[in-house]
Amino acid sequence: MTDRLVTFLLGRAPRERWLIGILCAAVLPLAVVMFWVLPLLEQRQAARVELATAQDLRFWVAERAQEKAALDAAQPAQSGATPAAALGISGIEQSLIAAGLRERVTRLANRDSGGIELGFDAVDFRLLGDWLDQSADTWGYDIESFRLDSSTRAGVVAASLLLQVAR
């Protein structure tokens, strides 16, 4: 390999050898920068933006948790209040129908532990929030697990809830 390169260069005029040397000295670093360094810098910038977004979301959630704690502390504790009787899967379904969300439900099933599993693949966030706000106190269940995933459409989320009978 080296012999071929030496033979190739010896067959060239001195000016051509200088031009090939300058070309190699300029093109190789430029290629490294364009194909290795610049993509790394773009990935780093994207990671910084994603980190800032995650930190903003964490801060927002912490503020909402503080507001919730303040509201809970401001409400007088109802001593001796018994939780509402669990509606069952048909009661949850009736409240979904009344809210216009039944056709959006993709999972609605009883769990082995006595709770209910409820899922939506694509539901309007505002409608889901309004339904939860209006009916969560009356259905006799505590939300054991709640997960929201964003979608590509604005205002639409995927949601899954695990409900456990209130004690």
Side-chain angles (χ1 to χ4, degrees), residues 10-127:
L10 287 177
R12 304 288 162 235
R15 185 173 56 168
E16 289 175 334
R17 285 189 293 238
W18 274 104
L19 286 174
I20 290 172
I22 291 171
L23 182 65
C24 288
V27 169
L28 287 177
L30 185 62
V32 167
V33 167
M34 288 185 65
F35 295 112
W36 187 52
V37 175
L38 289 179
L40 286 176
L41 290 174
E42 290 172 3
Q43 289 175 353
R44 184 178 183 183
Q45 182 61 28
R48 284 183 176 169
V49 168
E50 190 174 323
L51 175 65
T53 303
Q55 288 173 337
D56 290 344
L57 179 61
R58 182 178 178 202
F59 181 70
W60 182 83
V61 168
E63 285 181 339
R64 299 298 80 76
Q66 287 177 348
E67 287 176 11
K68 170 81 168 91
L71 289 172
D72 287 346
Q75 287 182 339
Q78 297 177 355
S79 60
T82 60
L87 294 177
I89 200 165
S90 62
I92 298 288
E93 188 171 17
Q94 290 302 317
S95 70
L96 286 166
I97 291 170
L101 291 173
R102 179 59 183 110
E103 63 275 358
R104 298 288 184 203
V105 174
T106 55
R107 288 177 313 280
L108 180 59
N110 284 319
R111 294 175 55 206
D112 293 336
S113 61
I116 293 178
E117 180 179 351
L118 177 62
F120 303 88
D121 284 342
V123 64
D124 185 277
F125 178 74
R126 189 173 15 136
L127 292 175

